[in-house]
Amino acid sequence: MYAYVDADDKHHARCLGLLQDHPGPLIVPMLVVAEVSYLLERRLGSEPEIRFLGDLASGNLIAEHVAASDWLRIAELASTYRDLPLGTVDASVVAAGERLQISQLATLDHRHFAVVRPAHVDAFEILP
């Protein structure tokens, strides 16, 4: 999410291309929204953060809440993959993917998500 906004990021073109070419809106867990918003404001200033929030408002990205049942799964994943470490935000992506039966993830973080084994599929298909 950060890379598609930051034109100076080495992954910017790939990430922006994914968002432009993907057939439907992308679901973004709320903890990711919070993390990306923080990083954008901190590193690039308020305007890029506001543009990102505008993409959420326009429906290009759909913010997904953390369900009550997700918290225990997030804790389980963070514990299981503590040696990575997976962490709460990444674990929330997995938990939401499991709950929503999503098999594709848009991420540059192959290190974490190539290792994690979700409950509903053998592995996530990682995009871009």
Side-chain angles (χ1 to χ4, degrees):
M1 294 285 90
Y2 177 89
Y4 96 85
V5 177
D6 185 353
D8 292 331
D9 189 285
K10 67 181 180 179
H11 303 289
H12 173 73
R14 270 185 6 177
C15 293
L16 183 59
L18 172 71
L19 289 174
Q20 291 170 337
D21 298 338
H22 194 271
L26 295 177
I27 296 171
V28 185
M30 284 303 300
L31 296 180
V32 174
V33 171
E35 184 175 64
V36 170
S37 296
Y38 170 79
L39 290 173
L40 288 171
E41 194 282 326
R42 190 68 142 152
R43 295 178 182 174
L44 302 176
S46 295
E47 290 305 314
E49 178 190 20
I50 293 165
R51 282 197 313 271
F52 172 64
L53 296 173
D55 287 342
L56 286 161
S58 71
N60 294 334
L61 305 171
I62 298 175
E64 177 63 29
H65 71 285
V66 178
S69 61
D70 290 345
W71 291 111
L72 182 56
R73 182 63 177 143
I74 290 167
E76 290 171 353
L77 289 161
S79 176
T80 299
Y81 296 100
R82 71 179 60 155
D83 292 338
L84 285 177
L86 186 63
T88 301
V89 174
D90 288 350
S92 77
V93 172
V94 176
E98 290 175 344
R99 179 171 44 80
L100 299 171
Q101 299 291 296
I102 294 170
S103 60
Q104 294 181 323
L105 289 183
T107 184
L108 298 170
D109 188 356
H110 291 254
R111 179 176 161 255
H112 289 142
F113 292 105
V115 172
V116 172
R117 295 294 166 240
H120 66 301
V121 292
D122 290 335
F124 287 114
E125 177 186 352
I126 299 175
L127 307 174

